[in-house]
Amino acid sequence: MKTIFFTAVLFSIVSCKNDKSKILRSQSASTDTAIIKRDLPTTDITDSIKNEYTILQAQLTAKKLQSSRFTYNCDEEPSGEVTFYSDQSGVRVIEHMYAEHSHFSAVERYFISDRKPFFIFKEETVWNFDGGTPEKPITKDDITETRMYLQQGLPVMS
């Protein structure tokens, strides 16, 4: 439970700092991938992760997991929400939704097995005006999805 509380506090602290260094670090971190050598081939590891993810996603869709959530504010505006989804074994999914400025939002989902994350899915949306008229502007969404497969807390290449 201490780990979950620490994670929630960390979300709040990290999300409230809107500086470019955070963005640059997250971009460079996503390009650096550690390859972990295990007894199982990487495809077997990722297949196992995908199976576990499918089970949890089905439970989320069917609303079979209990949820609790909190919101946090940065600079007096609603800035984000963290939702914990759990079953009898504990927290299974942590969902973190947040927005920075008016043209950026993101959703991060941490899928958990045996109290450790095994898969992270992140979706970032940036929108811009893309023509139209002042009365009827046209917007364009740029959506970036990131998937990270983890084994024993370390990323594996898929």
Side-chain angles (χ1 to χ4, degrees), residues 70-155:
F70 69 90
T71 59
Y72 60 89
N73 298 321
C74 297
D75 300 324
E76 313 227 355
E77 293 182 27
S79 298
E81 180 176 275
V82 178
T83 305
F84 299 92
Y85 295 95
S86 54
D87 61 12
Q88 67 279 1
S89 67
V91 175
R92 300 302 311 270
V93 179
I94 301 172
E95 181 178 72
H96 179 217
M97 298 186 305
Y98 60 97
E100 294 178 2
H101 311 293
S102 63
H103 291 255
F104 175 84
S105 63
V107 177
E108 301 168 346
R109 289 183 188 91
Y110 300 83
F111 293 85
I112 299 167
S113 179
D114 297 326
R115 298 181 179 227
K116 294 179 184 174
F118 66 88
F119 179 68
I120 300 170
F121 178 79
K122 184 174 185 177
E123 182 178 81
E124 297 177 331
T125 303
V126 178
W127 69 270
N128 296 299
F129 292 106
D130 193 33
T133 64
E135 298 82 30
K136 213 171 187 182
I138 297 172
T139 60
K140 176 184 173 191
D141 288 348
D142 291 320
I143 300 172
T144 304
E145 293 182 349
T146 305
R147 292 165 176 80
M148 185 179 297
Y149 300 84
L150 305 170
Q151 184 181 36
Q152 298 176 1
L154 299 172

